[in-house]
Amino acid sequence: MAEFKFLNTTRVVASEIITDAKTYIGRIYNRAGTLFTTASPFSQILEVMSEIGEMLLFYIEDATVEQNIYTAQQPESIYGLSRLAGHDPTRGFAAFGEITFRWAAGVDLSKVVGDAINIPVNTEISFDANGLSYMVRTNKDQFRIEKTNNSTFTASILQGKIETQTVTATGVKLQSFNIQPGGFTDHNLVSVSVNGELWTKFNSLYEMLPSDKGYIIKTGIGGGLDIYFGNGNFGQIPISGASIEIEYIKHDGAKGNLDDSTELTFKWVDEGSDSLGNSYDLNKFLQATVTSSPKMGADRESTEFTKLIAPMASKSFVLATPDHYEYFLSRYGIFSYIDAYNTVDDEYLDDDNVIYIFAIPDVKRKLAKNMDYFSLPINEMFFDVNEYAAMSGVLQESGQQMVTTEVKFVEPKARYYSMDISVRYFEGFRKEDIFNDIRDVVSKYLLNITRRDKLPKSDIIYILEEVEGVDAVNVTFVSETEETARRLGYYESITTKVVPSQPIVLEDIGNGKQKFIFFKKIEEKSLVNINQGDPIPADVAGLDEYGDIIMEKEEVAVFRGGWLDRDGEMIKDIPAINEDASLTVTFDETPVPRTVYTRLQATDRKSIVRRSS
Amino acid sequence: MELYIKTIGDPNYNPLKVHSDGEIAQLITQIETTLFTNKREVLGNTDFGCNLEDLIYSLNYNNFQIKSVIDQQISFYCPLAKKYNVSTDVSFVKGTVRDIAYVDITIDSKYLLQVYIS
């Protein structure tokens, strides 16, 4: 029987199994294996069976892989699994802002018939900066601007347009409908009416009482949004034939965000009207300004993001832990880094109900054409007051915050550095070309780095060695705090102490209010003199013993100029060759001759790097 | 040894046979399989097959090109064709509805496998 054991348990790949089978058949029938081609019916059966076997294994593997959210590849599987984990994949958020408007100076109001101009709710405006449509929102039916009223009206604006779709109820329990709007819709701003009556949105079926006219909305696994109604015990059932109208905001996601710093102008697209129904071009009658540029717009959640965020979903729909805050805010997709934390582990008790949020914007989204890390305005590297206010706003409006919890946004502390790069280069390459390539790769690195503890110079050396024309490279980080300390001959040292207060004291917190202080946080500042050559502590210099950048929890390393080095030389803001700047590239005076051997060496080095990576 | 693939109606069909032993019989079986299989019909080998019907009634092919395609397929998929002298000939005659194509495959000048497509 041993002759039938032609399959080897160590050769289990389909191609190996079929080779072994053909060898066996060739041996038994005394025929060379080469005769078993696809033209042989016998061989063809074997080959096709092998292919079917491979397909079966593929389907089994696919089914297994798609059941784990970390290994799944199909969007339907990832979104479906995240739904099971309690996460509702974000459908996107419409950008929102604020405008003010009033009668334009010198306008001839006699052209307006009646007492006022009416501007209906959701009147469309269009920004010149991106050409997108926005709606002027109000809780009322319209804005009424009396001719005699010279005050300024404030209104929120929302990017996108309102769309509605209508479906017909079947009258069965747990009716569900999938709505495909084709594009991004706002995750929160959806309303559902049944036979013209507005029903209430719930987060879970179990939140509904039998009499509640409610529904729940989830992101559709195959796209769009799913609407679910109750079963009679939990929420009412829409009766058979009822008209269900779903209204949502269709928007352009992150494209709807506009920069606060630029001069923003917009046009009124829709017209206003008087009490007799006459139409008026609002651009001619109103003077309007943008008080808060549209922001917090976000695209639909990517599958990669869903994989990361789904395990952090709060099952209770309450923002309880720092993780929940990270989960909630990161859905807006505007961060390159977000860290929410509390300080319950330290001895200072007074801020234990505070959730601190440290967030860095994703500056890649703010890059205009022909702009890189070094030419990006520095204020774009951080969130401004309006953006923090918008983030606070969405947290408060969510209604998911715990009453006793307070949120504080931690403003990042920028620590300035410059990067000195020494380059030995091959002859035949222009220094300017190498410099531009170096600036490009370093800029891309700095824009994409999300590491928050250290910035090793070996990373920079690694990417620079791939630049054409570079033979050898060395990188040095120069810290502004160290250079200032060495120039002045001293540095400032801060020591924080927490002291229990006995008895309990009241402390003014502004607005005529006081709060109880149980522990007092005291910061002591002292000046430490240094001589030339004295070491400076790593936390002061922001550099470790290897010369790598180290970042404290709230620090951000910024490569910018505008400060003096130890010799009193000004560091320039814009990268330069052989000059002290945010990015200084110094070339060897003599290039390395480009011989066959140096070329071979460079090629070998690159192939070794690629192979090892 | 090769599976006997002739069916009722084929010349010299033997209902008692399940496999063919001789090399010539194996070669004929392999050539028939190659000729009457269309490309992409065999799972896992999309290039196998002569696509005769498409080939013959395509406007882009003449006799010599069709012969070349058939020879390539036989050469690649029928190893016994190297041992025996296999030659291919393609000719067309006028038919009533459309032209009739004859594919003659001769093995060692003794055995003729003739296919006509009308």
Side-chain angles (χ1 to χ4, degrees), chain A residues 100-376:
Chain A
T100 57
F101 52 91
R102 52 173 295 175
W103 290 117
V107 67
D108 183 5
L109 290 177
S110 63
K111 291 179 180 173
V112 178
V113 180
D115 298 333
I117 275 187
N118 299 318
I119 304 173
V121 65
N122 297 327
T123 287
E124 185 183 341
I125 60 172
S126 169
F127 274 85
D128 298 333
N130 58 10
L132 297 178
S133 293
Y134 294 75
M135 293 179 290
V136 182
R137 308 277 281 177
T138 173
N139 292 328
K140 301 169 193 166
D141 292 338
Q142 61 182 18
F143 291 96
R144 181 176 166 81
I145 310 176
E146 304 275 354
K147 280 183 178 176
T148 53
N149 188 350
N150 281 323
S151 57
T152 303
F153 290 79
T154 302
S156 61
I157 52 169
L158 190 73
Q159 198 274 312
K161 286 181 178 173
I162 292 177
E163 274 191 8
T164 54
Q165 288 194 32
T166 306
V167 292
T168 307
T170 57
V172 299
K173 293 178 178 179
L174 297 172
Q175 291 170 58
S176 65
F177 302 93
N178 178 255
I179 308 298
Q180 291 288 349
F184 302 136
T185 59
D186 191 275
H187 195 78
N188 298 321
L189 300 174
V190 182
S191 63
V192 175
S193 307
V194 179
N195 281 340
E197 183 184 0
L198 201 61
W199 283 34
T200 310
K201 181 177 147 191
F202 288 85
N203 285 318
S204 162
L205 195 69
Y206 298 117
E207 288 181 9
M208 294 191 229
L209 298 171
S211 59
D212 277 336
K213 292 178 174 177
Y215 60 91
I216 53 176
I217 296 180
K218 300 285 176 191
T219 301
I221 290 170
L225 45 133
D226 291 342
I227 315 280
Y228 300 89
F229 289 95
N231 59 3
N233 296 321
F234 299 98
Q236 285 196 21
I237 305 169
I239 56 169
S240 178
S243 169
I244 301 172
E245 191 176 87
I246 299 106
E247 185 181 282
Y248 51 85
I249 312 281
K250 199 169 168 184
H251 61 86
D252 295 274
K255 286 181 193 162
N257 296 335
L258 287 170
D259 196 348
D260 261 322
S261 60
T262 54
E263 195 67 34
L264 288 177
T265 53
F266 65 86
K267 290 188 185 80
W268 296 88
V269 177
D270 288 343
E271 294 180 326
S273 60
D274 61 24
S275 52
L276 298 176
N278 300 315
S279 298
Y280 297 93
D281 180 358
L282 295 171
N283 298 299
K284 292 177 182 169
F285 288 90
L286 297 178
Q287 166 189 324
T289 50
V290 181
T291 45
S292 174
S293 67
K295 50 181 73 75
M296 302 298 283
D299 295 350
R300 184 191 175 170
E301 189 174 303
S302 70
T303 51
E304 288 308 308
F305 182 72
T306 305
K307 286 182 182 184
L308 287 173
I309 202 173
M312 293 163 73
S314 165
K315 310 296 180 293
S316 61
F317 306 108
V318 172
L319 299 173
T321 67
D323 275 357
H324 296 159
Y325 281 85
E326 284 179 21
Y327 165 79
F328 182 89
L329 285 173
S330 56
R331 295 179 308 157
Y332 286 86
I334 55 173
F335 308 97
S336 70
Y337 180 80
I338 180 164
D339 180 25
Y341 57 93
N342 54 25
T343 55
V344 290
D345 293 334
D346 66 4
E347 294 175 338
Y348 187 60
L349 302 179
D350 285 4
D351 66 348
D352 282 1
N353 67 328
V354 177
I355 301 281
Y356 293 98
I357 296 174
F358 176 78
I360 308 282
D362 185 359
V363 289
K364 293 198 292 293
R365 292 173 177 273
K366 300 186 175 187
L367 284 181
K369 206 176 175 184
N370 299 325
M371 196 181 265
D372 67 359
Y373 174 89
F374 297 101
S375 55
L376 184 77

Side-chain angles (χ1 to χ4, degrees), chain A residues 26-27 57 100 194 196 225 243 357 380 410 449 508 526 553 607:
Chain A
R27 180 159 51 82
L57 285 172
T100 57
V194 179
L225 45 133
S243 169
I357 296 174
E380 298 290 358
V410 179
I449 191 167
D508 287 333
S526 59
K553 197 175 182 69
S607 64

Side-chain angles (χ1 to χ4, degrees), chain A residues 26-47:
Chain A
R27 180 159 51 82
I28 292 296
Y29 292 100
N30 296 319
R31 287 283 182 272
T34 51
L35 293 184
F36 286 105
T37 67
T38 314
S40 159
F42 198 160
S43 175
Q44 201 177 98
I45 291 170
L46 274 179
E47 283 181 12

Side-chain angles (χ1 to χ4, degrees), chain A residues 25 29 31 34-45 47-53 55, chain B residues 1-3 5 21 23 26 29-31 33-34 37 42-45 48 76-80:
Chain A
I25 291 163
Y29 292 100
R31 287 283 182 272
T34 51
L35 293 184
F36 286 105
T37 67
T38 314
S40 159
F42 198 160
S43 175
Q44 201 177 98
I45 291 170
E47 283 181 12
V48 170
M49 282 179 68
S50 158
E51 290 292 331
I52 291 172
M55 279 171 63
Chain B
M1 200 280 289
E2 186 57 271
L3 291 176
I5 58 167
D21 289 321
E23 284 188 339
Q26 284 182 40
T29 302
Q30 291 185 359
I31 291 171
T33 315
T34 309
T37 305
V42 176
L43 187 68
N45 192 345
F48 175 70
F76 193 80
Y77 289 107
C78 306
L80 283 170

Side-chain angles (χ1 to χ4, degrees), chain B residues 52-67:
Chain B
L52 268 189
E53 184 90 4
D54 293 348
L55 210 59
I56 285 167
Y57 291 105
S58 162
L59 296 173
N60 300 330
Y61 284 88
N62 59 29
N63 297 15
F64 298 102
Q65 287 167 317
I66 295 167
K67 177 182 172 332

Side-chain angles (χ1 to χ4, degrees), chain A residues 575-596:
Chain A
I577 301 174
N578 293 340
E579 286 183 75
D580 289 336
S582 55
L583 174 71
T584 305
V585 181
T586 313
F587 289 91
D588 269 9
E589 283 187 12
T590 324
V592 176
R594 206 154 177 248
T595 63
V596 172

Side-chain angles (χ1 to χ4, degrees), chain B residues 12-113:
Chain B
N12 304 321
Y13 169 68
N14 182 349
L16 300 175
K17 263 190 141 180
V18 290
H19 63 85
S20 46
D21 289 321
E23 284 188 339
I24 295 291
Q26 284 182 40
L27 178 57
I28 292 171
T29 302
Q30 291 185 359
I31 291 171
E32 282 182 0
T33 315
T34 309
L35 285 176
F36 298 122
T37 305
N38 291 320
K39 285 190 193 301
R40 294 181 294 279
E41 275 183 355
V42 176
L43 187 68
N45 192 345
T46 52
D47 194 48
F48 175 70
C50 283
N51 253 10
L52 268 189
E53 184 90 4
D54 293 348
L55 210 59
I56 285 167
Y57 291 105
S58 162
L59 296 173
N60 300 330
Y61 284 88
N62 59 29
N63 297 15
F64 298 102
Q65 287 167 317
I66 295 167
K67 177 182 172 332
S68 169
V69 171
I70 294 170
D71 282 344
Q72 275 177 10
Q73 285 281 325
I74 289 174
S75 162
F76 193 80
Y77 289 107
C78 306
L80 283 170
K82 290 185 180 69
K83 187 174 178 182
Y84 299 93
N85 184 22
V86 177
S87 61
T88 310
D89 186 46
V90 179
S91 56
F92 287 94
V93 294
K94 200 77 185 164
T96 49
V97 180
R98 62 179 183 176
D99 291 351
I100 297 167
Y102 284 94
V103 179
D104 295 334
I105 295 173
T106 314
I107 303 168
D108 260 2
S109 306
K110 291 181 193 169
Y111 307 97
L112 177 66
L113 187 69

